[in-house]
Amino acid sequence: MHDKTLAQLSAGLAAGEFSSVELTRHFLDRIASLDGKLNSFITVTEAQALAQAEAADARIAAGEAGPLTGIPLAHKDIFCTRDVRTSCGSFMLDNFVSPYDATVVSRLAQAGMVMLGKTNMDEFAMGSSNETSYYGPVRNPWDTERVPGGSSGGSATAVAARLVPAATGTDTGGSIRQPAALSGITGLKPTYGRCSRWGMIAFASSLDQAGPMTRTAEDAALLLAGMAGFDERDSTSAERPVDDYRAGLDRPIDGLKVGLVREFMQQEGLDAGVAKATEAVLEELKRQGAEVVEISLPNAHLSVPAYYVVAPAECSSNLSRFDGVRFGHRCEDPKDLQDLYERSRSEGFGAEVKRRILIGTYALSAGYYDAYYLKAQQVRQLIAEDFRRAFEQVDLVVSPTAPDVAFPLGAKADDPVAMYLQDIYTIAVNLAGLPAISIPAPLADGLPTGFQMIGNHFEEARLLNVAHRIQRETDWHQQAPEGF
Amino acid sequence: MQWEAVIGLEIHTQLATKSKIFSGSSTAFGAEPNTQASLLDLGMPGTLPVLNRRAVEFAVRFAKAIDAELARRSVFARKNYFYPDLPKGYQISQFELPIVGRGHVEILLEDGSLKTIGVTRAHLEEDAGKSLHEDFHGMTGIDLNRAGTPLLEIVSEPDMRSAREAVAYARKIYQIVTWLGICDGNMQEGSFRCDANVSVRPRGDEELGTRTELKNINSFRFLERAINYEIERQIEVIEDGGSIVQETRLYDAERDETRSMRSKEEANDYRYFPDPDLLPVVLDDDFIAEATRDMPELPDQRRARFESEHGLSAYDASMLTASRAHADYYEAVVAACGDAKLAANWVMGELAAALNKASLEIEQCPVSATGLGELLGRILDSTISGKIAKQVFEAMWAGEGSADEVIEAKGLKQVTDTGALAGWVDEVIAANPEQVANYRAAEADKRKKMIGFFVGQVMKKSQGKANPQQVNELLRQRLEE
Amino acid sequence: MSLNADDIQKIAHLARLAVDEDEITSLQRDLSNILDLVEQMQAVDTSQVRPMAHPLDMPQRLRPDEVTETNQRERYLRNAPAAENGLFLVPKVIE
């Protein structure tokens, strides 16, 4: 049952082959027996899941089901879930039981989806390996001595190991796409503003975006349809209708013009196996009639520097609310206000979060604002202009998702800058607010690689269409880690 | 040495919206602690702000009222600092691109001349919560009901030179925001709070002295006293060879002094940056037209009209436009009686005194404007004298009925019957032969004064009801026969 | 670009983070490395570039002035580390 895709499970539920309760129990059992090796879940919500599954079965029986009704899923622990601990991977929120649901959570619940639990993540989504979590690292099911990528590493691992058919993730600089690549699944970061950010604990507000993490593009289309849409509670939510992502999946792609980013392919540190895998996907695109050309993003090399000003600056402010007063960790016996703040925050946050808060505080402080923050906003504009020019020439911009395959646990833990370069191909997309998908490419040395496709604003349907066409003709996305 | 004070004010006006600036919580004053604090107001993780349209409309109205530049594109920024009454660890405010730019107001100085005070800018921001210092086992309690209440912070140029001017400016701003209905003006509840930047310099110097900031003054009286105290203090420090430290000081009304706020000693670095949760506020012509469509006639325009249309002096016109309610009341009295000057005298005289004595605002006045107008009408048509009118007014104030009802019930109608008047006149002449003889012996120009005695006697006999003009006439005839 | 111990202490204080002596050394190294990475931006001339604060070119949406929230105090206070009589408690604030 767990080898079926979300689309297949949906058909099976509709046909009465199994019930949602059976499906839910099956996946809960798998989590119970297998997640000890992976640590992909922070919280499993068994009782609530079974109640939701029963309700879903009743809906199916009454003929009121939609395509997502009765399907189990997991939420990254960055989404607020009412009456369920929402930790964001941090000791700071270890005791935080959210009083409300994120919009993405409530939308999927209304669609009848069954939440199995909350997945592990880098603390406050800051990390590219899932090693910064207070709840311990997540392990990659392809090689449990390796990282799954991050920050949505728990969601990526849970989907890759078939502990759940689908999961939500968030992507600020690559946090959906990079773990999807390293874990061999499909992950989509929608256009900024496509999914509501209400209830999604903010890391960098102008970059954060929620998206689906699934095994196939078709599943991503189904899940995104349930997540996306205008939300009046989010000022940055796009007030435009959601496309029918599934309807266009099979559209032929002959004549499609694809631009390969020259600078990315010439990037020092690009693994030969990953480059080869990228070539293989390009060949498939050509085989189906797409035209592949080289394009240039001349300022893309500045995306990591710009990002490491913008994201820390926003995070330094966003994380000020964790002060030990209204929720979250509070130190023992604070002697005064200053002590309350400093000890609660220092005890509550881990090293990477503190580093980013400090960098961001520095970048915004008097005398440095123009040199760092303003400069980064200008570089951001240059990067966005690079993409605007690219989309005048091509329909899609493509590249590897990450420069390398999954690395061993601890390999980059002591070198923040090396870790930051994991996101070298993904970050520019967030700065420009564009949609991008990572789909599995051929394995390299037995480990997954990812192929990234970037679309123009609100062109998720096109990305899903091309991804689906590739997956229809290849089996890279069907590769599964042994033992799961 | 002659010293000159330089004063600028930052005024925080709470905008009279129903809901908060970024959330749907009520802004009503006086609720139980934290019962009007939503997820957003508590700074809960994952919550996001959405801007209240009305707050923007109010800012647009204010801009129009002070003839200010209105930013077609303004930006909200985060002001970052830690304080327990600031739940997010930052205040959403406006920094580089405020909604209201340069404008100005005119204040009336004591010598009757007008002075223009520049308004540098006004920006929208959210209010903070409150710290309650009563003892909770040595702890402070935090109530976030006020957090997120919309504020318009109005920043003036350092154009004022005395505490009196500063107060006149503050009163002018107060008049405008309450007039426009964008602020309820309740100073006890903190709806209108002033910070004053004060410095002194030798008279004639161009360069500004080091300033101190006096925080959170919520009455005009305290504003004047705090500034005066601070000016004196600064002069004393400098004359004693010291120098002024740039700092925030708190005015202690009980001791009538300002003192340094120790807790805010450290230099602040607010790390302003554009709030990524909010987009630029863009105002188009339609929005501005809609926001200003129902704008009332402004106080200065109305004051000018009172001078030209009603023939009032600048002083009277300014008194009668102290608030919109005053001006509305006055104009309703004029409409009801038709005599602008009589109405002005009464509204500023008898009515003001009665309100003052009863500690009532004009909105709470027990005598309606039309009621007062009717009363004045009875003076004008000679039904009663001005003196009797005061008696009728007192009865109306006490709820004894309308002017006509009181006049009727108390029999206060002026006696104009010549027969009755002649009777009283004869009696008075008969009873005062000495005065009559004196009168008749006097020069013509002296007689005018002397007749007052006889008029007084007749009025007394008539219990004030005799028509004074007629009595005058009759007396003259009889005395000069 | 390198930061000295005083810089680190000043930033840490602004951010209300306590850093001890051991941490300062490693933070100095890490933050300086990050700043070196960030310095790469200085190589491009951006004097004519409009800063981009936001990926979407949209104006702020305005909400009607309506009270839509109800009192949820008891529920919201459940996460409070210290509360009494409906108030959040903090160490004494001195003004």
Side-chain angles (χ1 to χ4, degrees), chain C residues 49-63:
Chain C
V49 182
R50 191 167 44 90
M52 176 174 168
H54 221 273
L56 291 181
D57 190 19
M58 295 194 315
Q60 175 62 37
R61 189 159 30 82
L62 301 175
R63 34 149 279 275

Side-chain angles (χ1 to χ4, degrees), chain B residues 17-25 33-35 37-39 42 44 50-54 82-83 132-133 136-143 263 266 271 276 278-280 287, chain C residues 10 13-16 50 53-54 56 58-73 75-77 79 82 84-95:
Chain B
T17 56
K18 293 203 259 317
S19 64
K20 293 188 179 175
I21 184 165
F22 297 119
S23 85
S25 300
N34 290 311
T35 55
S38 68
L39 292 167
L42 295 172
M44 283 281 175
V50 184
L51 183 58
N52 186 332
R53 169 183 291 269
R54 199 109 179 104
F82 286 87
Y83 209 66
L132 304 175
H133 299 291
F136 296 96
H137 341 287
M139 310 274 272
T140 291
I142 305 296
D143 172 11
S263 63
E266 63 175 85
R271 289 158 285 136
L278 291 160
L279 299 165
F287 185 91
Chain C
K10 193 180 140 252
H13 177 67
L14 275 177
R16 297 300 184 272
R50 191 167 44 90
H54 221 273
L56 291 181
M58 295 194 315
Q60 175 62 37
R61 189 159 30 82
L62 301 175
R63 34 149 279 275
D65 179 27
E66 285 161 10
V67 175
T68 52
E69 298 286 343
T70 55
N71 174 19
Q72 304 280 325
R73 181 173 80 178
R75 225 156 59 72
Y76 295 168
L77 276 172
N79 279 295
E84 199 175 301
N85 295 338
L87 294 161
F88 299 99
L89 297 189
V90 297
K92 200 140 199 73
V93 175
I94 314 141
E95 276 192 349

Side-chain angles (χ1 to χ4, degrees), chain B residues 11-15 21-22 51 55 76-77 79 91-95 99 121-128 148-154 193 272:
Chain B
I11 299 177
H12 291 84
T13 55
Q14 278 185 353
L15 296 179
I21 184 165
F22 297 119
L51 183 58
F76 281 99
K79 179 181 183 180
Q91 179 193 28
I92 305 177
S93 181
Q94 296 188 308
F95 185 55
I99 187 160
R121 56 181 282 165
H123 60 258
L124 287 167
E125 63 182 24
E126 54 180 350
D127 208 344
T149 298
L151 295 177
L152 187 67
E153 180 177 340
I154 303 158
R193 317 193 289 265
Y272 281 100

Side-chain angles (χ1 to χ4, degrees), chain A residues 82-83 95-99 191-193 206 230-232 234-239 299 301-302 304-306 308-309 314 324-328 330 334-338 340-342 345-346 349 354-355 357-359 361-362 365 368 371-372 374-382 384 414 416-417 420-421 430-433 457-458, chain C residues 1-4 7-20 23 26-64 68-69 72 75-83 87-94:
Chain A
R82 185 169 168 156
D83 298 336
N95 58 4
F96 179 67
V97 177
S98 172
T191 309
Y192 184 85
S206 77
F230 172 66
D231 181 3
E232 61 181 17
D234 175 0
S235 293
T236 63
S237 174
E239 214 167 345
N299 295 293
H301 68 288
L302 296 175
V304 174
Y308 278 96
V309 172
E314 292 183 8
V325 176
R326 297 161 316 284
F327 44 76
R330 180 185 191 123
K335 70 176 195 314
D336 57 25
L337 202 54
Q338 196 65 15
L340 167 74
Y341 288 149
E342 292 196 346
R345 289 167 60 77
S346 299
F349 294 138
K354 285 186 216 174
R355 262 197 293 275
I357 291 175
L358 292 173
I359 280 288
T361 302
Y362 181 70
S365 63
Y368 299 100
Y372 290 109
L374 202 65
K375 183 83 186 180
Q377 300 281 39
Q378 289 170 318
V379 169
R380 189 173 183 181
Q381 187 74 268
L382 293 178
D414 294 330
V417 170
Y420 296 171
L421 294 173
N430 299 76
L431 290 170
H457 290 114
F458 298 104
Chain C
M1 183 78 205
S2 67
L3 296 172
N4 62 36
D7 294 330
I8 302 281
Q9 285 290 14
K10 193 180 140 252
I11 307 164
H13 177 67
L14 275 177
R16 297 300 184 272
L17 290 170
V19 289
D20 54 41
E23 283 176 296
S26 63
L27 278 170
Q28 254 178 286
R29 187 197 59 220
D30 290 345
L31 299 192
S32 299
N33 286 345
I34 296 168
L35 290 175
D36 285 342
L37 171 79
V38 163
E39 283 299 311
Q40 293 173 26
M41 291 191 300
Q42 306 305 336
V44 283
D45 177 14
T46 52
S47 51
Q48 301 302 310
V49 182
R50 191 167 44 90
M52 176 174 168
H54 221 273
L56 291 181
D57 190 19
M58 295 194 315
Q60 175 62 37
R61 189 159 30 82
L62 301 175
R63 34 149 279 275
T68 52
E69 298 286 343
Q72 304 280 325
R75 225 156 59 72
Y76 295 168
L77 276 172
R78 265 179 231 154
N79 279 295
L87 294 161
F88 299 99
L89 297 189
V90 297
K92 200 140 199 73
V93 175
I94 314 141

Side-chain angles (χ1 to χ4, degrees), chain B residues 181-366:
Chain B
I182 66 175
C183 174
D184 70 15
N186 195 324
M187 294 178 86
Q188 282 80 43
E189 293 175 4
S191 296
F192 190 93
R193 317 193 289 265
C194 301
D195 298 347
N197 290 311
V198 179
S199 66
V200 296
R201 62 182 172 192
R203 196 174 292 281
D205 266 22
E206 283 290 309
E207 206 181 321
L208 292 172
T210 305
R211 65 186 164 89
T212 58
E213 188 179 12
L214 310 180
K215 275 269 183 216
N216 255 334
I217 306 166
N218 64 354
S219 93
F220 296 122
R221 194 159 53 97
F222 291 164
L223 181 65
E224 183 163 350
R225 281 162 54 176
I227 293 172
N228 276 332
Y229 175 88
E230 184 59 18
I231 293 170
E232 290 305 313
R233 188 192 69 85
Q234 290 189 9
I235 292 172
E236 208 168 297
V237 167
I238 298 168
E239 288 185 340
D240 287 352
S243 55
I244 303 303
V245 183
Q246 183 163 352
E247 61 181 354
T248 299
R249 298 179 70 87
L250 207 62
Y251 178 67
D252 183 334
E254 273 172 36
R255 298 186 192 176
D256 188 25
E257 63 177 29
T258 66
R259 63 185 141 82
S260 188
M261 280 173 82
R262 272 171 301 138
S263 63
K264 299 229 170 168
E265 215 168 79
E266 63 175 85
N268 280 314
D269 182 346
Y270 292 124
R271 289 158 285 136
Y272 281 100
F273 74 108
D275 190 332
D277 287 332
L278 291 160
L279 299 165
V281 179
V282 176
L283 303 179
D284 58 22
D285 291 343
D286 288 349
F287 185 91
I288 296 165
E290 179 70 21
T292 52
R293 207 179 39 169
D294 300 325
M295 284 257 290
E297 185 186 21
L298 293 166
D300 286 352
Q301 296 165 351
R302 206 158 178 186
R303 191 190 64 207
R305 184 166 62 75
F306 281 9
E307 287 179 44
S308 60
E309 194 174 296
H310 298 318
L312 300 182
S313 69
Y315 178 80
D316 288 358
S318 143
M319 290 294 285
L320 288 168
T321 51
S323 78
R324 199 168 146 192
H326 260 99
D328 287 347
Y329 190 99
Y330 166 69
E331 287 213 291
V333 177
V334 175
C337 76
D339 188 322
K341 284 196 178 152
L342 183 65
N345 290 340
W346 270 79
V347 171
M348 289 189 296
E350 214 60 28
L351 184 79
L355 288 169
N356 195 30
K357 196 174 156 202
S359 295
L360 291 177
E361 294 299 321
I362 200 156
E363 290 90 335
Q364 304 158 308
C365 181

